[in-house]
Amino acid sequence: MADGIHLSAGDANPGFALPDAGGALVRPDDFAGRRLIVYFYPAAFTPGCTTEACDFRDNLASLQAAGTAVVGISPDSVERLAEWAEAEQLSFPLLSDEDHAVAEAWGAWGTKVVNGQERVGLIRSTFVLAADGTVESAEYGVDPNGHVARLRAQLAA
């Protein structure tokens, strides 16, 4: 995790104001009154990230019916996110954090091990924000396989 930042239940969310795949700015306040899943993923068009994004896409209706919205954040450019959203028919906001400042503020940027090598980069992480915007849960080092099913069980969605 970035600089030892580790969000936990009850913490205030660090916020963000990031462009989506269409260039519009998105903020947590845009979802006030609903739970919000904020998930950070390393890169569009990669196998694990595509698995996770398509899983969110396929379960979006049940999450929304339970009063929960979803946003994905990566260091990809707005243009790359637009291409990926179209290719995979992703219907929830994908946000561009090219300088990874938001990922750092949320503790989702730091040292990780990839194929036995230490690297600095985005740590796949998921946060659930309560309707009041506080952190309800935080998970770092997420396995994309089965992730959405675990979230649905946690949120009763």
Side-chain angles (χ1 to χ4, degrees):
M1 286 149 292
D3 304 312
I5 295 169
H6 188 272
L7 297 178
S8 300
D11 288 346
N13 82 71
F16 56 79
L18 293 171
D20 67 11
L25 277 184
V26 176
R27 298 172 177 81
D29 291 350
D30 297 340
F31 305 92
R34 292 183 277 170
R35 272 185 171 144
L36 176 63
I37 295 170
V38 179
Y39 84 99
F40 289 84
Y41 61 95
F45 290 105
T46 59
C49 296
T50 299
T51 293
E52 187 175 30
C54 290
D55 207 1
F56 274 116
R57 176 200 65 204
D58 295 347
N59 287 281
L60 193 59
S62 65
L63 289 165
Q64 289 174 332
T68 304
V70 175
V71 297
I73 300 176
S74 77
D76 292 299
S77 69
V78 166
E79 296 79 16
R80 184 126 174 108
L81 293 176
E83 292 169 11
W84 193 45
E86 183 177 340
E88 299 298 338
Q89 300 177 339
L90 303 174
S91 55
F92 54 89
L94 300 173
L95 310 182
S96 175
D97 182 26
E98 286 190 89
D99 66 1
H100 50 80
V102 171
E104 288 180 38
W106 289 66
W109 187 270
T111 303
K112 60 183 182 175
V113 177
V114 179
N115 298 325
Q117 303 275 347
E118 274 197 4
R119 296 182 184 172
V120 173
L122 195 130
I123 299 163
R124 189 182 308 275
S125 306
T126 299
F127 306 88
V128 176
L129 302 184
D132 67 2
T134 59
V135 175
E136 187 174 314
S137 67
E139 185 179 356
Y140 296 94
V142 172
D143 179 351
N145 295 308
H147 178 54
V148 176
R150 291 188 303 275
L151 278 172
R152 285 186 60 201
Q154 172 188 331
L155 303 174

